[in-house]
Structure formats: C-alpha cells, structure tokens
Amino acid sequence: MTGTMAKKQHRTPVPGPPFIRLLAALADRNAPRTGPDLSDRLSQWIDWTRAVALSRALDGRLPAVADAAPGSVEALDEECARVRATLVESITAPPAAGKPAATDATAYRQRCLTAQRAMLTATGRLRGLLRDRLSAGPGELPRLAEVDAAMEQALSPREQQLLASVPALLDAHFERLRDDAGTAEVDPDSGWLHLFRNDMQAVLLAELDVRFHPIEGLLAALRPH
C-alpha cells in the first residue's frame, strides 16, 4: 500500500482483495475478519425476480447461435488490453503541463468521479462485446453469455452503490491528512498531499482491477484451451 495507508503498521491486516484492504485503510478502521458466506451475501443482493432470471440462464434452453462471430478473439483481447492501458494512463497521469496541481478535496472528488465514469463506460462496452462473441460460440459459450448478462443485471446496482462510496472516503482521507499536518493551507508540494495523491491512485487502480474481473473471465472462456 502507499502513502499514509502504508504507515499503519500497528493495525491488524485486513483480509480480502487489495481493493477492500485499501478502502478499509481509507476509512481508518479494520474490516470484520468474518462475515456472511457467499450464498448469504448473494441472497441479500439478488431479489427474487433477478434470481428467476439467473436460474433461467443457468438451466434454460441455450439461445440460438448467431450467424457470424462479431470479431476474432485476438482482436477482442487486444481491444481489452488497449482500453485497460488507456484507463491506467488516465489514472496515473500527472497534471498537464502548465496546469497547477489540485489543492482542494473538491477537485480530487471530481477527478475520482470522472475516472469511475470512464471505467464504468469502458468496461460495460467491453463486457457487451465479449458476450456477443460468446453468443456466437460453440457448446456452452452462449449459456455463459446469458449467465453473465443475468449476473450483471442482478449485481450491478449493488456494486455501483458500493463503489459510489469511494469519493466520500477519499474526501474524509484528504481532510484527515490535512488535519494531521496541522495546517489549513494546501501547498501543492506538501508531503501529505503527495501521500494523498498516491493513495487515491492506488484505490482507483484497485477499483479498475475489480471492474475487469468479469472481462478477464469472459476472455479466458473464449481463448483456445
């Protein structure tokens, strides 16, 4: 971890993927070491209508195979890699030449929201392209496309609700670092602001990893075995 998050050595490490650990560090508290198992958690997230849709995707008849595949697997793989690289570059890019670094929480909140919207739009488009390719594939690949569509519809509202909390956590982290520095002024070269930028970048990159998990799974299903 980076920045202030890396300095909290006295705290019990939070279990779970990097994104969860980073958010727990932002909130300055430990996450519960245990929680509901996966089936209990999903039952809270998926209402009965979406559960029926998911069941139909899992057990229903396979959809008709499309006449032609919308693109080669290699081209889709390259497109996913290109989009991810572009998103990483936008998250890690320094301020444009001649443009001063942001020195208030509002500017960083807007930057976070912009990055999240870009990730949502790009990954949604890629996921749709991959499902189209799966739907034109042999065997059980069309069913996987149906299941993924049902899962996205069922889980996306809850996922977006949780991810929407990230800007507020970053706001609180910004204010806490500034208060700890004991100053009301924000110098663009101050050490604590540099730490905050690193922490924000780490969180957004971890969120990007989370958003790409379904895409990586669909790509893996398409690649020759």
Side-chain angles (χ1 to χ4, degrees):
M1 295 183 190
T2 59
T4 297
M5 291 184 281
K7 297 166 64 177
K8 299 181 181 297
Q9 299 295 331
H10 64 283
R11 292 169 54 198
T12 303
V14 175
F19 187 53
I20 299 301
R21 297 200 300 270
L22 288 167
L23 292 183
L26 281 183
D28 197 27
R29 62 173 180 265
N30 286 322
R33 296 197 62 84
T34 59
D37 60 29
L38 180 59
S39 60
D40 288 341
R41 183 66 56 84
L42 288 177
S43 69
Q44 297 171 16
W45 285 20
I46 302 177
D47 60 30
W48 72 269
T49 56
R50 292 187 173 94
V52 169
L54 181 57
S55 176
R56 287 174 178 168
L58 287 167
D59 302 324
R61 296 179 60 184
L62 286 172
V65 176
D67 293 336
S72 70
V73 176
E74 292 78 9
L76 290 171
D77 210 337
E78 291 173 1
E79 175 65 3
C80 290
R82 183 194 67 79
V83 170
R84 182 165 190 160
T86 299
L87 291 169
V88 169
E89 183 179 1
S90 69
I91 291 170
T92 59
K99 184 178 180 181
T103 56
D104 64 275
T106 302
Y108 287 106
R109 167 183 273 270
Q110 186 57 48
R111 185 176 300 178
C112 178
L113 290 170
T114 299
Q116 287 186 312
R117 283 194 291 267
M119 286 189 274
L120 176 62
T121 300
T123 55
R125 181 181 70 84
L126 292 177
R127 203 166 172 180
L129 288 174
L130 292 169
R131 283 202 295 260
D132 288 345
R133 182 63 178 81
L134 286 164
S135 295
E140 292 288 314
L141 293 184
R143 186 184 303 280
L144 177 58
E146 293 272 307
V147 170
D148 183 71
M151 288 294 291
E152 183 178 24
Q153 185 179 27
L155 299 180
S156 182
R158 177 64 172 173
E159 179 185 73
Q160 298 312 314
Q161 179 185 357
L162 294 174
L163 292 174
S165 67
V166 171
L169 288 174
L170 286 168
D171 276 353
H173 187 49
F174 181 98
E175 299 296 340
R176 185 164 50 249
L177 286 174
R178 185 171 63 180
D179 290 345
D180 289 346
T183 177
E185 300 296 326
V186 182
D187 181 346
D189 296 320
S190 60
W192 71 264
L193 188 56
H194 178 71
L195 295 179
F196 173 79
R197 294 191 195 107
N198 286 342
D199 290 345
M200 177 174 169
Q201 184 179 110
V203 167
L204 289 175
L205 290 175
E207 180 177 330
L208 182 61
D209 285 341
V210 170
R211 291 183 182 272
F212 260 82
H213 285 167
I215 292 169
E216 291 168 353
L218 298 178
L219 276 173
L222 283 170
R223 293 186 185 114
H225 297 290

